[in-house]
Amino acid sequence: MDNIQRIVQGVLRFIRQLFGDPQTAVGTTIVLLFLFLAFFGNALAPYGANETGDIPVSAAPSTQHPFGTDTLGRDVFSRVMIGTSSIFQKAGLGTLLAVLIGTVIGLYIGYQGGWIDEATSRVIDALLAMPALLLALVILGVIRNLSLEQGSLQFLLARNSVLLVIAVVYVPIVARVVRSSTLEIKTREFVQAARIRGESLGYILFREIFPSVVPTLVVEASLRFSYAIFLVAALGFLGIGANPPTPDWGLMVEEARGGNYNIAPWALNFPAAAIALLVVGVNLMSDGIKNIVQKSE
Amino acid sequence: MSVLKAENVGISYKVNKQWIGAVREFGITVEPGEIYGIVGESGSGKSTIARGLIRYLPSNGRTEPGSRIEFLGEDISAAPPAQMRNIWGARMNLVPQNPMAALNPSIRIGKQIAELIGAHTDLSREAIMDRVIDGLERVNLADPEKLVERFPHEISGGQQQRVMIAMALSTSPKLLVLDEPTTALDVTTEAVILELVRDLIKEDETAAVYVTHNLGVVAQICDRVIVMYAGEIMADAPVYDLFYKPLHPYTIGLLNAIPQPGQTKRDRPLQTIPGRPPSLADLPQGCVYAPRCPLAIEICQTKPPLEAPEAGRLVRCHRWKELADGSINPRTVYATDEDAIITDTLDEEREPLLELDSLYKYFPTRRTVQDIIKGEKPSPVRAVDGVNMTVNRGRTYGLVGESGSGKTTLSKVVIGLFEKTGGEMILMGVELPAALRGRDRETLADLQMIFQNPQNSLNPYLTVGQSIRRPLMKLGGLSRTEAETEVRRLLKAVNLREEYATRYPNELSGGEKQRVAIARAFASNPMLILADEPVSALDVSVQSAVLNLLARLQKDRDAAYIFISHDLSVVSYLADYIAVMYLGHLVEVGEAQELHQPPLHPYTEALVSAIPIPDPARREDPVLLNENIPSARDIPSGCRFHTRCPRKIGAICETDAPPWRADGEGHYIRCHIPIDELIEAQRKTLPEVEHS
Amino acid sequence: MIRFLLRRLAFFVLTLFLTSLLIFALTRVLPGDVAQVILGREATDAALEATREELGLNEPLLVQYVDWAASFFTGDLGQTFSSPRRDINELLGARVLNSGRLAALTLLLAVPLAVTLGVVAGLSEGKFADGLISILSLSVVSLPEFVTGLFLINVVALGMRQLPIIQSLDWWFPASSSINPNATFSEALPFLWLPAITATLVLLAYVIRLVRAGVIEELKKDYVNTATLKGIPRRRVVFNHVLRNALIPTVTVIATSTGWLLSGLVVIEFVFNYPGLGRLLIFAINNRDLPLVQAIVMVTVVIILIANFTADILYAVLNPRIKLA
Ligand code: SF4
Ligand code: SF4
């Protein structure tokens, strides 16, 4: 019981600290705002993502269309709002998945050491030798050309391929960070005391070591999240992470560039600004988290 | 003229936007050739004032207005760094605690010293290098021409500290500040460095401020001493007076808390100072020591002034007069811990608990290129190399030796954190499995460990109650409610209040954490507890309470201890038997009280004589050993100690492994010199011990 | 030292081997039927069979891998699958050169700037300069490379052309790149500026952050106190002591940023339509040209591994503590 209470208290104190420093507070507010849009953007958007009808084409921003309309006559404001959910799904859930898997791997190999650690670390190195974007491009490039049966498991996975790819490219990074933190913590004497008591592997990993990894993990996760947003946006922009007419921010930028830019620059500027704003928010927040964690140590 | 004269110095730190006074009303006058000790526990402000006196504070620190620091007659209390740069290095130098960190890792040693000399002289490059080499020779470093080309990590800690001393003296400064310069070193190396520092300072007529927590070191090296507590001077006196006529209750407490050479737990328990030092942010109203002082009375709620009982002495206590005229007996100021009095003797033979039979632990090393070329297997690190030892029920075995002797490895093999390479371990007549996995619940419960660093021995994310409860349930098989009750009982047994059960380790002081760790170790009702330096991270005033606690718990619970420590006076106080370890095996085994009289193994003799005795009247020259401890990968032939042995008798020591020699009373020594001859030779050199 | 080199070399080979396995798995095993992927869903059976034959897809996987890996060692990478079919070796050669020029110019711009700014920020931790630099790098790092790139095209290259004075600068900032494959570096330079600036911005924040952290960490070390207490000027403490140790890890930072840079280039080349390796990769993926994808990725990985390897060795040479290891 006292544990749950302590965790709740810890989280509350953490949130209070997030709003304690102006920069971090701004960052957190931005992120929360977008998170809100991710959940309710669809319902709140004045128009549908691909609604055209009697909407004027390439209209400049106005009260009716705050962000203007694109060359096909779609409301940019609505598309940006609706697109929020997709970026949070892909980048956010992808990061979360990577953190979960990477933590388990990192804890295990860091604590066990020996050849398991040696072998896994080499594989991690090999994976990290390939830049995340490249790895993601290759995997997505292959997956989208597969002909899969509708409703099959593979089909389901392929539909969420960007999310999964984010997870895949970040698992090794998270695992490595958790591993090095585990290596340090496992030499602490309370871990030895647990071993002397004959505690099981699971108990030692998750009850004794894991809590001390959490601060590092939170910092790493927030950093990963901001890179994941980048990656998702870049994949969309390159036309590989999303297919038209999805209201994906990166894809919207790509569709509005070139000749279209001269006609409807707002169709490019607003989604680009949305990406930048979200990343600024995440970065401010992650800097703040890092400071809080460092201070508490 | 005095070299350094400080009056009314205050130093504050800004912590969380608040200024906290770390040192208040400090004053000192240091004459040429004088070594002035500043002694105190952690948090006493001793290091802060050391840095404050040389005007080198961290960026969040400041010297309070009104402070006066005069160096060679010049007021430097408000000197800006630009002005200090002419003084630093040229006339004022610092020897820090950790030489490895204090030397730049990527610059050759010679260049680092040359840089200092070059900054304050107009000498040519060659002349500077000559001075560097002279300086290194003065601190007895062999082969200085080669040494200047080395990088800091290539030499030992003792050598690094000599380099720092050579550097500090290279510009013949007027003032030398030494901040715990031997704390990170082995006792044998400490002895060498202390002697060196003392000689050089006297020779150069340098004024020195020597900061330490160790009263033994103070007694051995200082001329005058300031005792600090919670940022204030408690007492200031010539070293002899401080030890023989202490006028402050705190000084008395410190002196009574450390074991005298030869004192054992059977003689009398150590006296302890109750409570813990106050937080600087929340100081007591009157006397800062009042919450812990057994002599505190009404008037102590007002701040005592710093008074001079006689010329050259200062004391800050309302009741110093009673101590001075003898109406208060210093011996009875602090209560004796009646529970810790031990009445049994060693005469009673106890049954064996743990037997180690030629125990080995080798660590493989990586193959080097040479190994591959020569086609040889890499030689392993022979950390434990054939140890035979019997541990009887309810007794304490002190295991001593320099760092690298293998004592910690031995304890980890027994407890199961390392798996043995060979040999046998028998626990109560049954083979003890090497791996923790192979041990059943009873065996796990029987063996427990207390660790050195209280900071890390408790999981910061578990409450004290949770930490102690776990072994009770896991190993003791208690139910949750039974365990809760037992937790309260155990907390009481280690003198902690029940409400500590809900606290987290970061709310506890170091001594309190160690008590919790002890409670946790006793939770499973073990037969044998391995304690690896359990008090070495604690302050003196806390240390004695923990030692008494260990003695009392042993009496109550009849557990045996293997007590590992580098501090021989602590070991010989607590232990019944002593085993001395050198390079992986034992060289001497015997009763603890015999540790201070001949015969002793030449290695033990050196260890014993290196202990800085907390008595300024006894400044015997220690047996000095060279610091080149052979590597455990490459153990010398014959007697392992022959490369350093001051009593080496000839070639036989290099070729033949020495035999165990017995004195017929359970005392064994592994040496070629016969027992009688050892007694004869050592009678002349070993310090006498008075038994009280 | 020899041992260190051997270890690093072994490590290099091992990583290369594992990475090649990974690429092989992704491009040969994951797709199931590679021929189908390459030719698309409507391909005839005969065409599929021919492709399988050409790529040796009917062989056991192990044989396929060995053949494939061998093609890298012999330097014969075969032909592209997308029409017009071309020799991969030749195609890659020109593209690697172009990307290499871009990367070189970027490093030339970014490294000195980033190191200087990082050192300045680190030395003035918590002060104004530090705050300014961190705000700048934060805003730069928050802009995806395609946004900065598009901004530069639209504002600098196209927008500023509206101003009469700038028109004369047309040589410096052409908006898109159509480089003659045989162009010399100086001929290519005008096309390089904008992409290189974009890439610099991407790299800048990353390197600044690490250099700053390195300097701050070193400043806390005890030897800085020793040096200061020698009474030598602050400037000498910083240059002779702090930077000496703080900048050694920077070598590694620059090497690891190679990977970062190369992936940034994929996007940047796409934005600027610059004929480098990155744009070729997008092209290959869009045209389902798996052999070309494999070749590009392998080449990229080899470049990154060589950069890391060189950095390790440089680090060891610069750092006396490693020599005896
Ligand atoms: S002033 Fe009082 S409380 Fe303080 S040391 Fe003296 S007797 Fe103790
Ligand atoms: S055997 Fe020889 S070298 Fe060894 S301790 Fe005895 S006298 Fe010294």
Side-chain angles (χ1 to χ4, degrees):
Chain A
M1 263 337 273
D2 33 350
N3 263 334
I4 296 172
Q5 203 183 343
R6 171 154 161 106
I7 290 171
V8 171
Q9 275 172 3
V11 170
L12 285 180
R13 194 182 51 226
F14 182 70
I15 292 175
R16 230 175 307 132
Q17 281 171 318
L18 277 182
F19 285 96
D21 156 84
Q23 279 195 20
T24 320
V26 169
T28 313
T29 314
I30 295 174
V31 175
L32 289 179
L33 204 75
F34 276 111
L35 192 64
F36 174 79
L37 285 182
F39 279 103
F40 305 106
N42 221 339
L44 294 177
Y47 299 89
N50 297 307
E51 194 179 325
T52 44
D54 40 331
I55 297 173
V57 168
S58 306
S62 61
T63 38
Q64 187 141 39
H65 302 286
F67 292 177
T69 64
D70 67 7
T71 46
L72 297 178
R74 296 174 295 194
D75 180 47
V76 178
F77 183 63
S78 301
R79 285 175 66 81
V80 169
M81 277 175 84
I82 296 167
T84 319
S85 118
S86 112
I87 202 131
F88 267 87
Q89 262 175 32
K90 292 171 180 168
L93 293 183
T95 310
L96 207 61
L97 199 59
V99 166
L100 288 179
I101 302 172
T103 305
V104 174
I105 296 178
L107 278 174
Y108 181 72
I109 62 174
Y111 177 72
Q112 260 339 26
W115 69 269
I116 296 183
D117 176 34
E118 193 66 26
T120 319
S121 296
R122 288 297 83 80
V123 173
I124 288 179
D125 285 334
L127 281 168
L128 291 183
M130 234 194 291
L133 180 67
L134 237 61
L135 192 57
L137 280 175
V138 174
I139 300 177
L140 291 176
V142 170
I143 289 180
R144 70 172 183 169
N145 289 311
L146 301 178
S147 39
L148 298 168
E149 247 174 83
Q150 279 227 328
S152 67
L153 178 67
Q154 285 93 329
F155 182 78
L156 200 74
L157 292 178
R159 274 222 358 213
N160 292 302
S161 56
V162 177
L163 187 160
L164 294 173
V165 160
I166 298 282
V168 168
V169 297
Y170 287 151
V171 161
I173 301 183
V174 175
R176 180 188 262 195
V177 169
V178 171
R179 171 182 175 272
S180 68
S181 170
T182 305
L183 280 181
E184 192 266 314
I185 293 162
K186 82 167 178 189
T187 62
R188 297 204 195 150
E189 288 148 345
F190 62 82
V191 179
Q192 299 183 10
R195 288 179 58 200
I196 290 170
R197 284 200 303 273
E199 298 286 4
S200 66
L201 179 69
Y203 183 91
I204 292 180
L205 289 190
F206 293 103
R207 291 302 303 272
E208 296 283 351
I209 298 180
F210 178 69
S212 302
V213 177
V214 168
T216 325
L217 199 59
V218 172
V219 172
E220 185 59 28
S222 63
L223 196 65
R224 280 304 121 215
F225 182 45
S226 81
Y227 288 139
I229 296 170
F230 258 33
L231 199 53
V232 170
L235 288 171
F237 176 77
L238 294 174
I240 287 171
N243 293 321
T246 324
D248 178 283
W249 291 355
L251 190 60
M252 288 164 75
V253 173
E254 146 66 9
E255 285 171 342
R257 76 187 183 122
N260 288 349
Y261 182 75
N262 298 333
I263 311 167
W266 41 85
L268 187 152
N269 293 342
F270 283 107
I275 298 171
L277 190 63
L278 178 55
V279 178
V280 168
V282 175
N283 280 336
L284 283 174
M285 192 170 92
S286 105
D287 268 4
I289 291 177
K290 202 160 100 194
N291 286 338
I292 292 171
V293 167
Q294 274 169 359
K295 226 184 259 165
S296 67
E297 276 171 7
Chain B
M1 180 177 51
S2 313
V3 176
L4 181 72
K5 195 169 158 124
E7 272 164 36
N8 191 33
V9 178
I11 295 167
S12 307
Y13 286 118
K14 195 170 192 173
V15 183
N16 293 332
K17 297 178 186 148
Q18 211 189 332
W19 287 99
I20 291 179
V23 172
R24 298 171 305 280
E25 296 175 44
F26 185 89
I28 192 172
T29 305
V30 195
E31 306 296 337
E34 184 175 47
I35 306 181
Y36 218 125
I38 300 181
V39 65
E41 301 177 88
S42 44
S44 63
K46 58 183 190 303
S47 284
T48 302
I49 188 63
R51 310 257 154 164
L53 289 175
I54 58 172
R55 303 272 300 119
Y56 187 66
L57 291 172
S59 55
N60 65 337
R62 74 165 183 218
T63 311
E64 294 292 342
S67 306
R68 197 168 167 79
I69 305 171
E70 254 177 42
F71 177 64
L72 297 172
E74 178 188 0
D75 181 5
I76 57 164
S77 43
Q83 188 186 339
M84 287 311 296
R85 268 193 266 277
N86 297 322
I87 301 176
W88 288 335
R91 283 171 286 163
M92 184 189 269
N93 275 331
L94 175 79
V95 179
Q97 173 169 4
N98 183 347
M100 180 65 192
L103 288 163
N104 191 325
S106 59
I107 301 182
R108 291 174 204 281
I109 284 164
K111 222 180 135 194
Q112 298 200 42
I113 304 179
E115 184 183 29
L116 172 60
I117 302 174
H120 301 287
T121 57
D122 307 322
L123 297 178
S124 70
R125 210 170 246 263
E126 291 73 32
I128 290 178
M129 230 33 199
D130 287 345
R131 253 175 89 168
V132 170
I133 289 178
D134 287 348
L136 292 173
E137 253 162 16
R138 265 192 91 198
V139 294
N140 301 331
L141 280 165
D143 220 350
E145 284 85 3
K146 281 221 186 87
L147 192 71
V148 292
E149 294 297 321
R150 298 265 200 107
F151 287 98
H153 68 277
E154 297 172 333
I155 60 176
S156 73
Q159 289 169 321
Q160 288 166 354
Q161 195 57 292
R162 286 182 207 220
V163 168
M164 287 307 295
I165 292 168
M167 175 144 82
L169 292 176
S170 66
T171 48
S172 311
K174 294 286 176 258
L175 176 70
L176 197 59
V177 175
L178 302 108
D179 187 4
E180 303 252 17
T182 60
T183 306
L185 306 173
D186 262 317
V187 63
T188 46
T189 315
E190 175 176 71
V192 177
I193 299 281
L194 284 182
E195 180 145 297
L196 184 70
V197 166
R198 188 166 54 199
D199 292 350
L200 292 179
I201 285 175
K202 297 293 167 197
E203 207 174 296
D204 290 5
E205 288 273 291
T206 314
V209 173
Y210 195 107
V211 176
T212 180
H213 68 284
N214 187 332
L215 282 166
V217 169
V218 169
Q220 290 301 310
I221 194 171
C222 297
D223 302 312
R224 296 185 54 88
V225 191
I226 285 175
V227 179
M228 290 193 73
Y229 183 79
E232 288 174 15
I233 293 180
M234 295 290 111
D236 179 354
V239 68
Y240 198 88
D241 290 348
L242 187 89
F243 280 81
Y244 282 90
K245 284 191 286 173
L247 290 181
H248 195 285
Y250 178 59
T251 319
I252 295 170
L254 287 180
L255 290 173
N256 291 354
I258 47 176
Q260 295 298 315
Q263 183 186 350
T264 75
K265 63 183 174 193
R266 286 174 215 283
D267 297 332
R268 60 180 137 89
L270 296 170
Q271 293 188 344
T272 60
I273 302 177
R276 65 188 207 190
S279 138
L280 289 175
D282 185 21
L283 287 173
Q285 274 299 308
C287 171
V288 283
Y289 188 56
R292 302 176 75 189
C293 181
L295 297 183
I297 47 175
E298 191 80 44
I299 190 177
C300 301
Q301 299 308 313
T302 60
K303 194 173 171 64
L306 201 55
E307 294 177 281
E310 55 198 73
R313 277 195 87 162
L314 292 173
V315 60
R316 192 191 287 280
C317 173
H318 289 298
R319 303 187 70 182
W320 66 264
K321 288 197 186 86
E322 292 161 77
L323 283 162
D325 64 20
S327 50
I328 297 177
N329 178 359
R331 287 222 169 244
T332 56
V333 168
Y334 291 85
T336 298
D337 188 353
E338 304 285 341
D339 290 340
I341 295 176
I342 312 281
T343 45
D344 76 326
T345 60
L346 287 179
D347 299 342
E348 186 199 346
E349 187 73 27
R350 300 296 308 266
E351 63 276 32
L353 179 66
L354 174 75
E355 288 156 274
L356 306 179
D357 187 11
S358 40
L359 191 66
Y360 289 89
K361 175 65 193 175
Y362 288 0
F363 293 100
T365 50
R366 280 177 192 271
R367 217 174 259 258
T368 63
V369 177
Q370 281 99 319
D371 290 331
I372 297 171
I373 295 169
K374 288 194 205 133
E376 279 172 5
K377 273 198 169 174
S379 43
V381 171
R382 289 147 69 183
V384 174
D385 199 21
V387 167
N388 297 300
M389 189 173 166
T390 304
V391 173
N392 290 343
R393 264 177 205 259
R395 300 291 191 215
T396 302
Y397 293 78
L399 196 55
V400 297
E402 291 161 295
S403 46
S405 59
K407 49 193 198 309
T408 295
T409 309
L410 178 63
S411 71
K412 288 194 170 172
V413 171
V414 171
I415 200 81
L417 287 171
F418 289 152
E419 288 180 30
K420 67 184 181 198
T421 311
E424 275 198 78
M425 302 189 282
I426 310 282
L427 184 71
M428 291 184 283
V430 193
E431 166 84 44
L432 177 63
L436 280 165
R437 262 173 284 110
R439 300 184 180 180
D440 56 19
R441 203 173 83 179
E442 279 81 57
T443 315
L444 290 170
D446 278 342
L447 297 176
Q448 281 300 315
M449 192 151 187
I450 301 168
F451 299 93
Q452 168 172 13
N453 191 345
Q455 211 55 47
N456 282 341
S457 63
L458 301 176
N459 191 330
Y461 294 91
L462 296 179
T463 62
V464 166
Q466 288 171 320
S467 282
I468 304 178
R469 199 167 66 210
R470 185 70 190 171
L472 287 168
M473 295 168 67
K474 166 103 184 144
L475 298 175
L478 299 188
S479 74
R480 174 78 183 241
T481 35
E482 286 166 341
E484 299 283 2
T485 323
E486 186 62 22
V487 166
R488 285 198 288 275
R489 242 169 49 82
L490 278 164
L491 280 175
K492 219 173 132 228
V494 296
N495 300 337
L496 290 176
R497 290 191 307 275
E498 271 178 26
E499 66 251 32
Y500 274 73
T502 56
R503 298 204 182 160
Y504 285 91
N506 64 1
E507 303 164 50
L508 271 53
S509 71
E512 289 168 340
K513 279 182 208 155
Q514 203 60 317
R515 285 161 194 272
V516 174
I518 292 171
R520 181 181 61 187
F522 272 98
S524 63
N525 243 324
M527 306 293 296
L528 173 64
I529 290 185
L530 294 109
D532 189 356
E533 303 268 10
V535 295
S536 63
L538 304 178
D539 274 319
V540 187
S541 71
V542 182
Q543 192 175 342
S544 56
V546 172
L547 288 174
N548 282 351
L549 177 65
L550 286 170
R552 194 189 76 214
L553 286 170
Q554 179 169 52
K555 195 174 69 170
D556 296 349
R557 303 230 178 184
D558 201 28
Y561 293 152
I562 293 180
F563 187 93
I564 298 173
S565 180
H566 69 282
D567 186 340
L568 269 127
S569 45
V570 164
V571 174
S572 61
Y573 170 77
L574 192 72
D576 301 311
Y577 303 94
I578 298 265
V580 182
M581 208 166 169
Y582 185 72
L583 280 183
H585 75 184
L586 301 181
V587 294
E588 175 162 5
V589 180
E591 284 187 19
Q593 57 195 24
E594 290 167 7
L595 193 65
H596 292 276
Q597 66 210 38
L600 293 177
H601 187 279
Y603 177 58
T604 317
E605 183 189 356
L607 288 182
V608 169
S609 85
I611 309 175
I613 304 171
D615 182 349
R618 293 178 50 197
R619 292 187 174 175
E620 292 95 3
D621 287 337
V623 179
L624 298 181
L625 294 183
N626 71 48
E627 298 139 44
N628 299 321
I629 305 170
S631 140
R633 280 191 66 180
D634 196 9
I635 290 176
S637 61
C639 172
R640 295 176 181 202
F641 188 50
H642 82 246
T643 55
R644 302 168 73 200
C645 180
R647 295 199 181 277
K648 186 171 145 188
I649 49 173
I652 186 172
C653 294
E654 289 170 31
T655 52
D656 293 14
W660 277 109
R661 295 182 186 274
D663 74 345
E665 289 164 32
H667 190 169
Y668 299 89
I669 291 172
R670 192 184 274 200
C671 179
H672 283 300
I673 306 177
I675 297 270
D676 306 342
E677 286 176 33
L678 269 180
I679 296 178
E680 190 52 39
Q682 289 170 344
R683 189 147 281 154
K684 294 171 200 138
T685 54
L686 270 186
E688 284 295 310
V689 170
E690 89 266 27
H691 272 274
S692 40
Chain C
M1 189 69 192
I2 299 173
R3 207 180 113 198
F4 176 81
L5 276 181
L6 287 177
R7 258 182 74 83
R8 287 283 107 187
L9 198 65
F11 185 72
F12 173 77
V13 173
L14 182 70
T15 315
L16 190 59
F17 168 68
L18 288 173
T19 325
S20 71
L21 269 187
L22 179 75
I23 296 169
F24 182 78
L26 284 179
T27 51
R28 280 276 169 108
V29 186
L30 175 72
D33 188 351
V34 174
Q36 185 93 60
V37 170
I38 292 176
L39 298 181
R41 285 166 208 174
E42 290 84 34
T44 63
D45 284 350
L48 285 174
E49 197 43 49
T51 306
R52 286 191 192 120
E53 201 53 42
E54 185 181 340
L55 288 173
L57 294 177
N58 296 325
E59 308 279 340
L61 275 179
L62 184 68
V63 177
Q64 286 188 42
Y65 173 73
V66 173
D67 277 352
W68 178 74
S71 72
F72 284 100
F73 279 105
T74 54
D76 175 19
L77 301 177
Q79 288 196 316
T80 64
F81 256 82
S82 38
S83 49
R85 301 196 55 166
R86 295 173 61 187
D87 203 34
I88 295 184
N89 283 13
E90 225 172 84
L91 188 59
L92 277 187
R95 297 304 184 103
V96 168
L97 180 69
N98 281 342
S99 287
R101 285 170 163 168
L102 188 49
L105 183 61
T106 307
L107 287 176
L108 229 55
L109 291 174
V111 172
L113 190 62
V115 170
T116 316
L117 288 177
V119 168
V120 170
L123 289 178
S124 54
E125 189 197 358
K127 302 212 186 90
F128 178 73
D130 182 31
L132 191 70
I133 292 172
S134 72
I135 287 177
L136 276 179
S137 61
L138 179 74
S139 27
V140 170
V141 86
S142 302
L143 292 172
E145 47 276 66
F146 60 88
V147 174
T148 348
L150 289 173
F151 174 82
L152 288 176
I153 291 179
N154 292 328
V155 177
V156 180
L158 300 175
M160 293 193 5
R161 223 164 287 237
Q162 316 294 328
L163 306 173
I165 332 155
I166 306 293
Q167 274 171 9
S168 56
L169 291 179
D170 197 29
W171 181 86
W172 286 97
F173 300 115
S176 79
S177 332
S178 46
I179 304 183
N180 176 346
N182 301 320
T184 62
F185 190 75
S186 63
E187 279 169 341
L189 199 55
F191 301 99
L192 293 176
W193 280 120
L194 289 182
I197 291 174
T198 314
T200 301
L201 290 179
V202 172
L203 214 56
L204 211 53
Y206 174 71
V207 180
I208 288 180
R209 223 172 235 252
L210 289 169
V211 171
R212 175 181 179 270
V215 170
I216 289 176
E217 195 189 317
E218 288 302 320
L219 275 176
K220 287 197 188 114
K221 299 239 170 107
D222 224 5
Y223 70 78
V224 180
N225 298 333
T226 311
T228 310
L229 287 174
K230 283 176 178 174
I232 56 180
R234 174 81 180 159
R235 171 174 39 83
R236 286 228 337 246
V237 175
V238 169
F239 280 92
N240 293 7
H241 291 269
V242 179
L243 293 191
R244 189 189 194 101
N245 290 303
L247 292 186
I248 294 173
T250 309
V251 179
T252 323
V253 170
I254 291 166
T256 42
S257 68
T258 321
W260 189 274
L261 179 61
L262 286 178
S263 65
L265 285 190
V266 173
V267 180
I268 291 168
E269 289 176 358
F270 184 74
V271 172
F272 286 92
N273 209 11
Y274 180 88
L277 209 52
R279 209 187 69 185
L280 189 64
L281 177 65
I282 303 290
F283 170 84
I285 289 176
N286 283 334
N287 289 285
R288 304 188 298 247
D289 193 337
L290 285 186
L292 187 56
V293 171
Q294 289 169 339
I296 296 171
V297 177
M298 267 314 268
V299 166
T300 315
V301 167
V302 169
I303 293 173
I304 291 172
L305 286 180
I306 289 177
N308 287 347
F309 180 65
T310 321
D312 278 345
I313 291 172
L314 267 179
Y315 182 73
V317 170
L318 293 175
N319 191 341
R321 269 166 294 184
I322 300 264
K323 269 192 188 127
L324 290 176

